[in-house]
């Protein structure tokens, strides 16, 4: 499972998402940028910044 935390890109934002595929995370993150942060144009460098911040989900100790 992969995850993205918006706060790594937009300080103070606690929105996050997780999915199996990076493409789905990027789709959700772009939609979040539009609705929550008022971004009307999503430039390629924004997508690159989102992709660079997608991480493997940390496994919790049992």
């Amino acid at each position: 499972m992969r995850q993205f935390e918006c706060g790594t890109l937009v300080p103070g934002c606690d929105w996050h998402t997780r999915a199996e595929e990076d493409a789905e995370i990027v789709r959700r993150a772009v939609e979040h940028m539009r609705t929550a942060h008022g971004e009307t144009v999503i430039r390629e460098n924004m997508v690159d910044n989102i992709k660079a911040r997608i991480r493997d989900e940390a496994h919790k100790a049992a």
Side-chain angles (χ1 to χ4, degrees):
M1 187 71 69
R2 305 275 283 159
Q3 68 180 13
F4 169 75
E5 296 177 8
C6 188
T8 63
L9 188 59
V10 180
C13 183
D14 63 356
W15 183 87
H16 61 278
T17 190
R18 47 184 234 172
E20 292 293 333
E21 301 292 327
D22 287 6
E24 178 62 16
I25 291 175
V26 170
R27 186 195 68 75
R28 293 176 189 175
V30 164
E31 182 63 23
H32 170 74
M33 291 294 173
R34 287 187 173 122
T35 59
H37 300 297
E39 296 290 334
T40 56
V41 176
I42 305 297
R43 292 183 173 82
E44 187 176 340
N45 70 326
M46 176 66 75
V47 173
D48 291 341
N49 284 328
I50 291 167
K51 288 178 180 179
R53 289 165 171 80
I54 296 174
R55 301 283 182 247
D56 286 326
E57 185 177 35
H59 296 287
K60 295 183 169 117

